[in-house]
Amino acid sequence: MSAGELLERSLAYALGSVAGARRMGLGTGTPCAEWDLGELLGHLDDSLDALYEGLSGGRIGLLPQADRVCGFRTRACAVLGAWAAGPPDGVLVGERPLDARVMAAVGAVEIAVHGWDVARSCGRPRPIPEGLAAELLSVAQCVVGEEDRGVRFAEPVPVPSRARPETWLLAFLGRHF
């Protein structure tokens, strides 16, 4: 599956999760112990901003944009449109170069997993589709290292060997369910 397909499928999944968040209070707890639902949605919005910046301008600033006018759905459509328009070969994150396909694949992990977090926070069982979860797990295993544990991700959670790909993905990223 290409990075663009991963991104598109992750955005579609997250859009469904975020749609259910309207009826919840923003102070609702999430699987990310440090964040409530409002902070998680803000983080997800920042992630879309960064993807859009990288795909449309070839550069991601190190400070988040202050523009909160667009909604999640609008930002998701903008990200897909920027990808469809032909992303740049490379993106600068601060001053560091990053391949746009890597950025899109990592963004897909971020969006889908936080989409799961949002659905879980809203009390809605919404599994990540099996094929998507398997692809995202392979991306996550390539980009999340031990140095990320305790900083960006919790320690992996043990799972049964016959667990579904979604369970492996979420457990690898430190999610309990």
Side-chain angles (χ1 to χ4, degrees):
M1 185 179 311
S2 75
E5 291 169 319
L6 278 178
L7 188 58
E8 185 174 345
R9 292 181 65 203
S10 292
L11 283 165
Y13 171 80
L15 281 165
S17 297
V18 169
R22 287 188 178 197
R23 65 184 188 326
M24 303 301 293
L26 294 180
T28 301
T30 72
C32 305
E34 303 84 38
W35 292 344
D36 63 23
L37 184 57
E39 292 165 323
L40 177 59
L41 290 169
H43 174 71
L44 198 49
D45 203 39
D46 287 343
S47 296
L48 286 177
D49 275 344
L51 280 169
Y52 182 74
E53 282 181 39
L55 292 171
S56 64
R59 183 179 191 97
I60 299 172
L62 295 180
L63 299 175
Q65 297 293 311
D67 176 14
R68 294 273 185 222
V69 175
C70 295
F72 183 80
R73 187 171 310 205
T74 303
R75 288 187 198 285
C77 289
V79 166
L80 287 175
W83 180 267
D89 292 331
V91 176
L92 288 177
V93 180
E95 297 302 318
R96 295 180 168 219
L98 180 66
D99 184 285
R101 293 170 303 202
V102 172
M103 181 192 68
V106 171
V109 172
E110 174 94 355
I111 291 163
V113 171
H114 285 317
W116 180 88
D117 291 335
V118 169
R120 179 88 176 199
S121 300
C122 296
R124 294 175 53 220
R126 196 153 193 284
I128 298 172
E130 196 165 314
L132 176 61
E135 291 282 341
L136 296 175
L137 176 60
S138 66
V139 172
Q141 289 172 329
C142 288
V143 298
V144 176
E146 285 306 311
E147 66 277 3
D148 295 312
R149 302 297 179 174
V151 180
R152 292 181 187 90
F153 301 96
E155 292 296 320
V157 175
V159 295
S161 61
R162 293 185 181 213
R164 295 178 52 235
E166 175 197 47
T167 303
W168 280 101
L169 171 65
L170 296 169
F172 179 74
L173 297 175
R175 296 327 194 255
H176 295 272
F177 22 93

